[in-house]
């Protein structure tokens, strides 16, 4: 231990000890992001069953529906992965990701020991994948690439703690939702974070 | 009268009237109990951690409150651990610092001002050390606070900062080599 470490430790503890922490009650739950998974599932069902009216394009296209559409091209890749959707302006997340926040998200994903690789999927990529799906060609006249959400697809190592990583990603600013595609493909219940 | 689950607890008062006392506590989900215990046991330490990252107590307390408000309802027990909450506090502090960086410096920002009382308590040389620490890049500053305030190991720091242990180690080494320059430049 060199002197500067000793001085630093003493300074930090002195500053911390000078803090008199006032009692405050445990805060009440914040309004969650409106049961996002339920909305995604409902919208996905609408899309899948063709109930989304092609003649009436909603303005703006609801974010839950956009996520649902984006999810239809997400398939179980056979290896664990998560899809981190960035928010869209006007969506349920108050503030959208700034460039710094995107970089921070990328750094977090790339730097995480459980992550093998990270790929960015643009709105155009998401739109292309959605339109290419069987039965979705008719949506090409109604939807625009700008309606879709951008996302990062993180391929995980087999021993990675997927729920922990998904929750960490969901906590990052500008993230709208994090989805476990294998869970969606298996139609299990709780596939969305937070 | 037969008491049903969920009914208010009733008892007979002196005059024989039925008196409503209180509702029985519903079964608290395990994760809510964990959250309550974490809040009770670790909130002061988390506020102090945020003070060291942010510089002012009011914002630090708000960050910690905000973190706990968001942690309600995480569905599975065992998710909300102390390292996880520390990560949330770290992320919350980063968001505050980013917002502060956008505020025009027309007036002193709250984080720049330390009370005279605090300054006396800490002492001049330690204040200089804290000022030097504040001039380090954000990641180096965080790593030093976690190491020298919380005494966390490289692995524990890596877990909180969501980086690799080797990155934590090298970040601390770089920060320690830069700190004397920051101290020397401002003495």
């Amino acid at each position: 231990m060199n002197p500067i470490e000793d001085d630093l430790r003493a300074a930090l503890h002195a500053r911390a000890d000078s803090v008199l922490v006032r009692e405050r009650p445990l805060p009440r739950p914040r309004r969650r992001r409106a049961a996002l998974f339920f909305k995604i599932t409902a919208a996905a069902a609408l899309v899948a069953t063709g109930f989304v009216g092609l003649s009436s394009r909603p303005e703006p296209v609801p974010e839950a529906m956009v996520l649902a559409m984006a999810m239809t091209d997400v398939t179980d890749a056979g290896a664990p992965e998560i899809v981190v959707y960035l928010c869209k302006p006007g969506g349920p997340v108050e503030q959208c990701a700034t460039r710094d926040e995107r970089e921070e998200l990328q750094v977090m994903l790339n730097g995480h020991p459980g992550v093998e690789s990270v790929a960015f999927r643009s709105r155009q990529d998401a739109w292309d994948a959605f339109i290419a799906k069987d039965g979705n060609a008719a949506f090409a006249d109604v939807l625009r690439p700008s309606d879709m959400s951008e996302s990062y697809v993180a391929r995980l190592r087999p021993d990675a703690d997927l729920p922990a990583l998904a929750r960490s990603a969901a906590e990052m600013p500008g993230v709208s939702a994090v989805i476990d595609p294998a869970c969606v493909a298996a139609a299990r219940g709780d596939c969305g974070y937070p | 009268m037969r008491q049903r689950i969920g009914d208010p607890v009733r008892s007979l008062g002196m005059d024989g009237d039925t008196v409503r006392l209180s509702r029985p506590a519903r079964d608290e989900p395990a994760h809510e109990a964990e959250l309550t215990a974490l809040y009770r046991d670790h909130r002061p330490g988390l506020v102090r951690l945020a003070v060291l990252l942010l510089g002012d107590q009011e914002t630090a307390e708000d960050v910690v409150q905000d973190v706990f408000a968001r942690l309600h309802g995480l569905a599975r027990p065992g998710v909300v651990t102390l390292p996880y909450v520390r990560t949330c506090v770290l992320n919350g502090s980063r968001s505050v610092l980013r917002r502060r960086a956008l505020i025009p410096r027309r007036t002193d920002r709250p984080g720049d001002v330390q009370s005279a009382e605090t300054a006396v308590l800490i002492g001049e040389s330690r204040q200089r050390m804290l000022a030097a620490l504040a001039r380090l890049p954000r990641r180096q500053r965080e790593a030093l606070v976690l190491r020298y305030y919380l005494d966390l190991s490289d692995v524990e720091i890596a877990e909180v900062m969501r980086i690799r242990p080797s990155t934590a180690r090298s970040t601390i080494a770089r920060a320690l080599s830069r700190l004397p320059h920051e101290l020397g430049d401002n003495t």
Side-chain angles (χ1 to χ4, degrees), chain A residues 39-40 43-48 52 54 57-58 61-74 85 88 121 125-131 133 136 139 142-149:
Chain A
K39 290 207 297 190
I40 289 170
L46 287 175
V47 170
V52 176
L54 294 182
R57 172 193 158 85
V61 177
E63 186 165 15
M65 191 179 293
V66 168
L67 283 171
M69 290 184 295
M71 278 167 57
T72 57
D73 77 297
V74 172
Y85 290 98
K88 279 180 86 242
R121 196 169 55 166
D125 294 340
W127 186 86
D128 289 345
F130 176 71
I131 297 300
K133 289 282 278 191
N136 285 354
F139 284 88
V142 182
L143 288 169
R144 304 176 193 124
S146 60
D147 293 325
M148 312 302 278
S149 286

Side-chain angles (χ1 to χ4, degrees), chain A residues 7-163:
Chain A
D7 291 349
L8 177 59
R9 190 187 301 277
L12 287 171
H13 280 272
R15 177 68 181 105
D17 291 345
S18 73
V19 176
L20 187 65
V21 181
R22 295 175 285 265
E23 286 282 329
R24 282 170 79 168
L26 179 65
R28 296 168 67 83
R30 167 175 290 199
R31 192 172 62 83
R32 304 294 307 280
R33 290 176 194 172
L36 188 60
F37 181 73
F38 173 77
K39 290 207 297 190
I40 289 170
T41 310
L46 287 175
V47 170
T49 54
F51 275 106
V52 176
L54 294 182
S55 56
S56 58
R57 172 193 158 85
E59 291 283 359
V61 177
E63 186 165 15
M65 191 179 293
V66 168
L67 283 171
M69 290 184 295
M71 278 167 57
T72 57
D73 77 297
V74 172
T75 49
D76 184 359
E81 63 179 30
I82 55 169
V83 185
V84 182
Y85 290 98
L86 300 178
C87 65
K88 279 180 86 242
V93 180
E94 313 82 55
Q95 190 189 349
C96 274
T98 63
R99 184 186 293 182
D100 282 354
E101 286 166 350
R102 282 161 181 263
E103 282 176 11
E104 198 168 322
L105 177 63
Q106 267 184 298
V107 168
M108 190 280 267
L109 290 173
N110 280 315
H112 195 283
V115 175
E116 201 166 76
S117 63
V118 179
F120 177 72
R121 196 169 55 166
S122 66
R123 292 194 171 106
Q124 183 69 49
D125 294 340
W127 186 86
D128 289 345
F130 176 71
I131 297 300
K133 289 282 278 191
D134 282 348
N136 285 354
F139 284 88
D141 296 333
V142 182
L143 288 169
R144 304 176 193 124
S146 60
D147 293 325
M148 312 302 278
S149 286
E150 295 171 322
S151 58
Y152 289 100
V153 181
R155 176 70 62 93
L156 310 187
R157 296 183 202 285
D159 58 345
D161 184 352
L162 187 149

Side-chain angles (χ1 to χ4, degrees), chain B residues 75-121:
Chain B
R76 291 164 288 272
V79 167
V80 183
T81 59
L82 182 56
Y84 182 75
V85 179
R86 283 172 173 160
T87 303
C88 295
V89 170
L90 214 62
N91 287 339
S93 302
R94 288 173 187 171
S95 298
V96 169
L97 292 174
R98 270 197 300 271
R99 280 199 296 275
R100 274 187 191 165
L102 299 174
I103 299 172
R105 294 180 64 100
R106 278 179 301 206
T107 54
D108 280 343
R109 297 184 297 239
D112 298 329
V113 182
Q114 219 173 60
S115 75
E117 192 183 348
T118 304
V120 170
L121 276 172

Side-chain angles (χ1 to χ4, degrees), chain B residues 15-177:
Chain B
D15 56 0
D17 290 334
T18 300
V19 178
R20 175 177 164 164
L21 297 176
S22 64
R23 276 186 185 281
R26 285 187 301 177
D27 283 347
E28 196 178 33
H31 62 275
E32 289 295 326
E34 284 177 1
L35 192 66
T36 305
L38 269 169
Y39 186 83
R40 185 189 61 230
D41 298 341
H42 296 288
R43 178 175 165 266
L46 292 165
V47 169
R48 291 187 174 103
L49 171 64
V51 167
L52 295 174
L53 297 170
L54 292 168
D56 78 290
Q57 183 172 347
E58 195 177 330
T59 315
E61 288 191 0
D62 287 346
V63 164
V64 173
Q65 293 298 108
D66 191 49
V67 163
F68 277 94
R70 286 166 186 266
L71 288 176
H72 278 288
L74 278 182
R76 291 164 288 272
V79 167
V80 183
T81 59
L82 182 56
Y84 182 75
V85 179
R86 283 172 173 160
T87 303
C88 295
V89 170
L90 214 62
N91 287 339
S93 302
R94 288 173 187 171
S95 298
V96 169
L97 292 174
R98 270 197 300 271
R99 280 199 296 275
R100 274 187 191 165
L102 299 174
I103 299 172
R105 294 180 64 100
R106 278 179 301 206
T107 54
D108 280 343
R109 297 184 297 239
D112 298 329
V113 182
Q114 219 173 60
S115 75
E117 192 183 348
T118 304
V120 170
L121 276 172
I122 294 172
E124 194 183 337
S125 65
R126 287 171 179 170
Q127 269 196 297
R128 279 196 295 117
M129 175 62 82
L130 293 173
L133 178 72
R135 286 190 289 275
L136 292 179
R138 189 251 304 154
R139 193 189 279 230
Q140 293 185 9
R141 191 169 63 244
E142 290 171 358
L144 288 187
V145 169
L146 294 174
R147 165 57 52 83
Y148 295 101
Y149 173 58
L150 292 181
D151 284 324
L152 300 188
S153 67
D154 292 339
V155 172
E156 291 167 327
I157 291 170
E159 186 184 2
V160 172
M161 292 182 69
R162 309 287 180 180
I163 55 179
R164 294 172 197 276
S166 57
T167 309
R169 194 160 43 247
S170 61
T171 303
I172 290 168
R174 275 201 303 279
L176 284 176
S177 67

